[in-house]
Amino acid sequence: MSMKKELLRLKRIRNIGIAAHIDAGKTTVTERILFYTGRTHRIGEVHEGTATMDYLPQEQERGITITSAVTTYYWKDHEIQIIDTPGHVDFTIEVERSLRVLDGVVAVFCGVGGVEPQSETVWHQADKYRVPRIAFINKLDRIGANYFNVVDMMVDKFATNPIILQIPMGEEDGFFGMIDLIKMQGIVWEEEDMGATYRYINIPDIYKKSAHEYRERLLEKLSLLDDTFMELYLGGAEIDEELIHKVIRENTIAMRCVPVIGGAALRNKGIQPLLDAIVNYLPSPIDIPPVKGKNPDTGYEEIREPKNTEDFSALAFKVVMDEGRKLVYIRIYSGEIKVGDDVFNVNLNKKEKISRIYRIHANHRERIDEASTGAIVGIVGLKDTSTGHSLVKTRPILLEPIDIYQPVISIAIEPKRNVDQEKLLLVLKRISEEDLTFVLKTDEDAYQTIVSGMGELHLDVIARRIKDDFGIDIHVGKPQVVYKETIEKQVHIEHSFEKTINNINYKGYVSIDVSPGIRGEGIKITSQISEEHPAYPYLQAIEEGILEASNIGVLKGFPITDIEVLVKDASFSSPEFARLTLKMAAYEAFRKGCVDASPVLLVPIMSLTVTTPNEFLGDIISDLNARKCQILSIITKEKITVLNAHAPLTNMFGYSTDVRSLSQGRASFTMFFSHYDRIENG
């Protein structure tokens, strides 16, 4: 392919995700996109369990997205690869790893709920990876929907710069279309063909005044973002659509603004303009900065340009075990691959062979012979590659890894039949390969298999998978909280480790201060030992000893965290065994120090948001007080109240049942991990 053709192909690629709070309607939006672009021939519905992208049986049964699904569709000569991500906080890792490989995001907001807790989580994740986004305000046909209120919430919660490109015609049940502020025309959708046909109309008289007001605000905002635009605007010149689109695109990609449009996906309204916005404003692989990484040999930062002529580089962002085969999803940042090629896993320092390449459409796969820059594909043959690993052909580069969240809840799990024990362990290992927030541990003393995850729903979904997908009947223990340990006072420890080898006594000595650290900062190790000191070359061994000792606590065996360690002095009797003796001396000194420094348990504190009709507020607050929750804010809006609190996870089991009974089923809540803190009555 010529350079010119390759550049044109890359310009027409969009790698995007659809992300939102649970129940904002993102899977419904995705299903409409697939229908209107001809990818599917009928619209799948979440509430009927027929959504294409929610293809797992549990997703269809529960009506939620559990795993991020990938598909490709075409719109106006553009190839759009889309990932529909989960909205439930227990599956945050799915959003995290999707955002790591995406170039743009459609943030879907509910017109009634607006910016909800998981919306904020997703938004901040997108900020972390510098992913440009557009906002689609959905459910404008619902009672209580308020388009402009959601825009205000975006400003308040995200400190962002929303650019309103459309305003709604009609409210709630009377919602019938949107006004395009760039074309200055109304858009309406035909009911007869499921919204596939839409047309532009003259703006009804009742909306003309507000349309002109919002058009002026749009032009004012754009003039502040572009000097040329400002000159034309202040000079009273007619500004053409092409320039408006150009300025919006440039500033969206630069993350200086967020275009806002709306609709009602369930009523088939608003999707085609959303597709246009994806093409017009979200970046192609060549619009974003070249991917950066570290050369593992030199330690220096390097980049890979998004070109087929560049050496192949890709990031593995998802692993799926399917019918005994390992399918690895990768995002290709540069170069190209073909079936049969060898690739080099930089993290593992080993070669792997590509035996098959698939273009993915939800749970359907299309075999292809090659893939190149900008593609998101599935690969079979990468036996040892895992989530976050970097792949190249010749020039090694370690791309930025994917952040992994620590599990906060555990259950004991065992097969009902002893003959299934080995099979169960194999299945659990397989699941832990797919899902890095699912941790497997065998307790030798209690002869138990312990699994840990992000929440009750997360572990419930996995338990159901073991039964339904692998045919193993299991006993599941009650959920247990994953605690951590820390200390409350400072101590000074001096400790010697001695080992006799071949009748010669070898000795290592360390002197350390152990003191309480800042919550959430983990183990922080500093040293007073100078570079001239004989022990200086062995500081890493001392650090290793301390970190290994922190894995098993001194109170209940939970990991130790939030501690500052100052290495004051160290010595050894023989350079030959200095590394071993200093490491063991540091290990034992740290554990001894923690025992003497008033160790305490830390419990996971959850960020809780409860939305309740006002008449149940008193009962909800009383219940939260009884659970020792710290109420942070109470925001009343007409008939409902939104209550934010910090809740100790130990006291929140079964809360979903209790909150329903307290509110006659009308209150809802979301809860996700916030931080660890001291447990009362420790």
Side-chain angles (χ1 to χ4, degrees), residues 21 72 228 252 417 488 611 615 641:
H21 184 90
T72 305
T228 307
T252 301
R417 301 183 308 156
E488 291 207 312
T611 304
E615 60 261 40
T641 295

Side-chain angles (χ1 to χ4, degrees), residues 504-519:
I504 301 173
N505 192 43
Y506 295 99
K507 184 177 176 182
Y509 159 86
V510 295
S511 166
I512 61 173
D513 284 348
V514 179
S515 53
I518 299 166
R519 287 283 182 267

Side-chain angles (χ1 to χ4, degrees), residues 168-184:
M169 294 188 288
E171 293 178 355
E172 300 180 343
D173 285 351
F175 170 72
F176 67 94
M178 300 296 291
I179 293 170
D180 183 331
L181 298 174
I182 298 174
K183 288 184 181 294
M184 282 306 278

Side-chain angles (χ1 to χ4, degrees), residues 572-636:
F572 51 88
S573 60
S574 165
E576 188 184 355
F577 288 96
R579 182 175 169 75
L580 171 67
T581 54
L582 287 174
K583 181 177 175 178
M584 290 309 299
Y587 182 97
E588 291 175 0
F590 180 79
R591 291 191 67 76
K592 188 166 178 277
C594 289
V595 170
D596 296 345
S598 302
V600 291
L601 281 181
L602 297 176
V603 67
I605 303 297
M606 310 303 281
S607 181
L608 174 73
T609 300
V610 184
T611 304
T612 176
N614 293 340
E615 60 261 40
F616 306 112
L617 182 61
D619 291 340
I620 298 279
I621 289 174
S622 297
D623 179 66
L624 291 178
N625 286 334
R627 294 172 190 268
K628 296 191 170 70
C629 297
Q630 178 192 358
I631 294 170
L632 304 174
S633 67
I634 298 172
I635 303 161
T636 302

Side-chain angles (χ1 to χ4, degrees), residues 88 456-457 608 610 620 623-624 627 651-671:
H88 197 285
E456 287 182 271
L457 177 63
L608 174 73
V610 184
I620 298 279
D623 179 66
L624 291 178
R627 294 172 190 268
N651 300 337
M652 298 310 289
F653 292 120
Y655 186 63
S656 54
T657 305
D658 293 345
V659 79
R660 277 199 297 270
S661 64
L662 286 170
S663 64
Q664 298 171 16
R666 291 168 63 197
S668 63
F669 78 98
T670 57
M671 184 169 68

Side-chain angles (χ1 to χ4, degrees), residues 68-85:
S68 50
V70 182
T71 193
T72 305
Y73 62 88
Y74 297 87
W75 182 256
K76 296 186 177 176
D77 294 328
H78 285 70
E79 178 184 325
I80 302 173
Q81 295 174 107
I82 193 169
I83 298 182
D84 175 30
T85 62

Side-chain angles (χ1 to χ4, degrees), residues 60 75 79 110 136 138 143 154 229 234 255 308 342 405 436 522 544 572 612 625 662 680:
Q60 294 170 352
W75 182 256
E79 178 184 325
C110 171
F136 181 78
N138 192 26
I143 293 171
M154 287 173 65
F229 196 98
L234 293 177
M255 295 182 63
N308 280 357
D342 285 332
Y405 293 80
L436 297 184
E544 284 174 14
F572 51 88
T612 176
N625 286 334
L662 286 170
E680 275 191 39

Side-chain angles (χ1 to χ4, degrees), residues 20-40:
H21 184 90
I22 194 167
D23 280 344
K26 66 199 166 316
T27 300
T28 305
V29 169
T30 311
E31 292 300 319
R32 267 59 184 175
I33 286 174
L34 298 181
F35 179 66
Y36 298 137
T37 56
R39 198 70 182 78
T40 55

